[in-house]
Amino acid sequence: MEKRAAMDRQPHSEGGSRRGEWFVPQWGSARFRTFVGLLFLPYTGMVLSFAVIGSVLAREVFYGRLLAIVLVYFFGLGIAAHALDALGSRGVKPWGTVFSRIQLWGMALAALAAAYGIAGYYMVRYVPWLWCIALLEGFFVFAYNLELFSGRFHTDGWFAFSWGALPVLAGYVMQTNRISLAALLLAAAMALFSLVEIKASRPYKELRRKGPVLAGEEQALLRRYETLLKCISLGTILLAAGLLLGRSAG
């Protein structure tokens, strides 16, 4: 068992298994751990929190709609976008080959169908302006995660826009069917939080890929990046939870 766990933490021959990440459970089968890992729950939690933060900015909060937009982003980003990312657009498969390409595509398309099914109901009946955001997010799900158009949209700036700013606006639009200056400013703030996250995540992943060959200074740097990522993800989630509790209690 110990030998198997150690092997799971070693770089994979196809780009390095990430099953030793801090957000991946160290128990269960490789398939279970890989599935939980590719959901990137702390970072998915950030995006869901952005949608909550945008929602509670509205003067009147419809909690059914709030739950719906959270589910939309869980399916659309948490599952679909990350399943596409796991395909390995440049031949690097961050989660190995536990899931086949067909399985990952099936996972992504089924999750997108669920996300757009939920969103479609509200867009047709209550919030037609959500179509604008839904189309943009649908574009980025493929353009960013599959690095289409020669990777032009696979940049830190577009990441911050698509998974930082847009979820805030989606949450607000879901409640109000409009955009406000306050929502735009809040979206910009959350985009900056996302930018910090992705700027720390990239060097962190590069260090992780080196595995056990890291020197002492690199090990210390890896731990600092990991601490930063934990703090920003948990801090964002707690911010959203606090605002939601405060709004529901008020």
Side-chain angles (χ1 to χ4, degrees):
M1 290 292 292
E2 292 180 0
K3 182 178 180 181
R4 178 182 174 185
M7 289 178 64
D8 282 343
R9 290 191 290 269
Q10 300 295 321
H12 192 276
S13 60
E14 292 177 288
S17 172
R18 300 190 66 180
R19 291 196 297 272
E21 291 275 13
W22 57 274
F23 51 85
V24 179
Q26 296 304 300
W27 45 269
S29 66
R31 181 174 288 264
F32 168 77
R33 292 171 60 202
T34 299
F35 178 73
V36 174
L38 66 81
L39 293 178
F40 287 96
L41 290 176
Y43 313 129
T44 297
M46 285 183 66
V47 176
L48 303 188
S49 297
F50 296 152
V52 170
I53 291 169
S55 297
V56 299
L57 182 64
R59 180 172 300 177
E60 181 180 7
V61 177
F62 300 94
Y63 290 97
R65 297 188 192 184
L66 189 153
L67 176 60
I69 199 67
V70 166
L71 289 174
V72 165
Y73 273 98
F74 177 75
F75 287 121
L77 167 76
I79 298 179
H82 290 146
L84 294 177
D85 182 69
L87 287 168
S89 57
R90 295 186 178 179
V92 176
K93 294 179 171 53
W95 296 100
T97 56
V98 172
F99 293 103
S100 68
R101 291 183 61 85
I102 292 177
Q103 289 172 328
L104 290 171
W105 270 109
M107 197 184 302
L109 294 177
L112 282 176
Y116 278 93
I118 296 170
Y121 170 80
Y122 287 93
M123 290 187 291
V124 169
R125 297 200 60 180
Y126 305 109
V127 287
W129 275 105
L130 191 61
W131 278 108
C132 299
I133 299 173
L135 292 174
L136 281 172
E137 293 288 41
F139 170 79
F140 284 111
V141 163
F142 293 98
Y144 181 87
N145 291 282
L146 295 179
E147 299 189 44
L148 303 179
F149 309 104
S150 302
R152 182 173 300 175
F153 295 96
H154 192 84
T155 65
D156 294 348
W158 285 118
F159 175 89
F161 174 73
S162 59
W163 305 123
L166 287 182
V168 176
L169 296 179
Y172 186 78
V173 169
M174 186 67 138
Q175 298 293 326
T176 65
N177 194 40
R178 65 185 181 89
I179 295 291
S180 70
L181 177 59
L184 289 171
L185 291 175
L186 194 56
M190 297 304 105
L192 292 175
F193 284 180
S194 293
L195 194 60
V196 172
E197 186 275 323
I198 195 65
K199 290 292 186 183
S201 179
R202 294 201 189 282
Y204 168 78
K205 288 188 290 186
E206 289 300 320
L207 289 169
R208 284 281 312 174
R209 289 191 184 105
K210 292 184 179 181
V213 301
L214 292 178
E217 292 183 0
E218 290 179 317
Q219 287 282 2
L221 184 59
L222 177 67
R223 287 193 294 270
R224 284 198 292 270
Y225 278 129
E226 185 174 299
T227 299
L228 176 59
L229 291 169
K230 289 178 179 178
C231 288
I232 193 170
S233 57
L234 181 59
T236 304
I237 293 168
L238 290 176
L239 173 63
L243 291 173
L244 181 58
L245 285 174
R247 186 61 189 273
S248 60

